[in-house]
Amino acid sequence: MGQDLPSFMEKGLSKSHRVICVCSEAYVYKANEGNGGVGYEKQIITAELLADLNSNWVIPLIKNNPSQRKTPTFLGGRLYISFEDTLLHESKYEELLRELLDEPVLPIPPLGKNPFKTIKDFSHQKFFPSNEKYVSPATKGKVAFDYSNNNGRYSIGQGELMFETYWSKCSDRNIYLLNDTPSIKTVAVVKDADDICSIVDARVYDGSSRIRTPKVNQIAILQNENGFYAALKILSIKDDTRGSENDELTFEYVIQTNGTPDFTTTNK
């Protein structure tokens, strides 16, 4: 008690290993205007950041901020964690803890061998499975296959990004999607978006059931056992019991390769 407040703020901030900056609407306004203690706090943090522009010392946390400006100008361009959506509090809290403890969901793996080191080495590389009929190893694309064959299985991606999808007949408007393969952790259906690139957070969709029934022009969300997400949009369904010559499912898909559930940047 009785300690000089500016000195207390300066020592507290400068000696901290990490700083959580709660960016409410009022805080952002005061920081940008340079008002009161917030203005002095801004000066201290700005000086520290200028000393190391690549530092992740400050973690902006968004709360009670309905305005378009989520962070003060001096924190502009830095990644923040938003606690604005109450449905995502648990996942955002985990994200914050992982950031503080430096424990990412998927640590960056070591670089593998260079497949282009020599012509001889390259000639022996096998980038694609030998049977490509029910496999698409690319991270995005368009697929059409007879879902009555191969036990309804079709694999997209490869390695840690592999999703072995499992489909079963329902009608020519809907199809059953199951999470019964070893690589799939959850399946869900998107009801509030028509385009894959408009999905901001795939975690909000309910993946608690073993089976989902997406329809034509609807998007399904899959998470694999490695924690990666894939979004699949059903383009057409053919049913040989309803006038079609064969059973055929056509879908387009995108696998989010950076480990996040955000698909808004996948077309960029």
Side-chain angles (χ1 to χ4, degrees), residues 65-129:
N65 190 349
S67 67
Q68 293 296 317
R69 187 181 292 276
K70 298 300 181 184
T71 61
T73 302
F74 77 95
L75 291 177
R78 295 190 175 265
L79 294 176
Y80 58 76
I81 300 176
S82 175
F83 278 77
E84 297 171 287
D85 189 340
T86 55
L87 295 177
L88 296 178
H89 272 195
E90 185 175 344
S91 61
K92 293 299 182 179
Y93 180 63
E94 179 183 350
E95 183 180 341
L96 176 62
L97 285 180
R98 287 184 176 278
E99 177 65 25
L100 291 171
L101 299 172
D102 194 24
E103 290 288 344
V105 176
L106 288 170
I108 299 174
L111 290 176
K113 294 181 179 179
N114 182 358
F116 305 101
K117 187 175 182 180
T118 66
I119 297 296
K120 182 178 180 180
D121 288 342
F122 177 74
S123 67
H124 291 295
Q125 295 296 319
K126 294 183 179 179
F127 292 97
F128 302 100

Side-chain angles (χ1 to χ4, degrees), residues 37-257:
V38 175
Y40 186 66
E41 180 179 279
K42 165 191 170 181
Q43 294 179 33
I44 300 171
I45 295 176
T46 300
E48 295 286 345
L49 293 178
L50 285 174
D52 184 0
L53 294 176
N54 294 319
S55 171
N56 61 351
W57 176 59
V58 179
I59 306 172
L61 188 153
I62 313 303
K63 183 68 175 175
N64 297 331
N65 190 349
S67 67
Q68 293 296 317
R69 187 181 292 276
K70 298 300 181 184
T71 61
T73 302
F74 77 95
L75 291 177
R78 295 190 175 265
L79 294 176
Y80 58 76
I81 300 176
S82 175
F83 278 77
E84 297 171 287
D85 189 340
T86 55
L87 295 177
L88 296 178
H89 272 195
E90 185 175 344
S91 61
K92 293 299 182 179
Y93 180 63
E94 179 183 350
E95 183 180 341
L96 176 62
L97 285 180
R98 287 184 176 278
E99 177 65 25
L100 291 171
L101 299 172
D102 194 24
E103 290 288 344
V105 176
L106 288 170
I108 299 174
L111 290 176
K113 294 181 179 179
N114 182 358
F116 305 101
K117 187 175 182 180
T118 66
I119 297 296
K120 182 178 180 180
D121 288 342
F122 177 74
S123 67
H124 291 295
Q125 295 296 319
K126 294 183 179 179
F127 292 97
F128 302 100
S130 57
N131 182 3
E132 298 181 31
K133 190 173 183 181
Y134 299 102
V135 175
S136 177
T139 56
K140 62 172 62 177
K142 182 179 177 181
V143 171
F145 80 105
D146 186 336
Y147 59 87
S148 65
N149 293 328
N150 201 41
N151 296 316
R153 312 292 178 93
Y154 194 100
S155 294
I156 57 175
Q158 57 183 326
E160 289 185 338
L161 299 174
M162 197 268 284
F163 295 75
E164 188 183 12
T165 66
Y166 182 12
W167 309 87
S168 183
K169 180 179 294 191
C170 180
S171 72
D172 57 358
R173 293 296 303 166
N174 303 77
I175 191 165
Y176 294 124
L177 172 61
L178 300 91
N179 68 356
D180 288 0
T181 61
S183 65
I184 302 299
K185 183 177 180 180
T186 61
V187 295
V189 170
V190 176
K191 298 182 180 180
D192 60 353
D194 296 323
D195 297 310
I196 291 175
C197 63
S198 64
I199 297 174
V200 177
D201 193 331
R203 294 172 296 183
V204 302
Y205 303 109
D206 192 336
S208 60
S209 293
R210 167 178 167 262
I211 184 169
R212 293 297 184 187
T213 314
K215 60 186 178 181
V216 175
N217 292 323
Q218 199 164 42
I219 299 170
I221 294 290
L222 290 78
Q223 185 183 30
N224 71 8
E225 288 295 330
N226 296 311
F228 288 94
Y229 286 92
L232 294 71
K233 183 172 182 178
I234 310 299
L235 300 179
S236 69
I237 304 169
K238 294 182 180 179
D239 183 346
D240 63 3
T241 64
R242 290 174 168 82
S244 296
E245 184 175 348
N246 298 303
D247 293 326
E248 184 181 82
L249 171 65
T250 304
F251 64 86
E252 61 182 2
Y253 71 91
V254 174
I255 300 172
Q256 181 51 285
T257 59

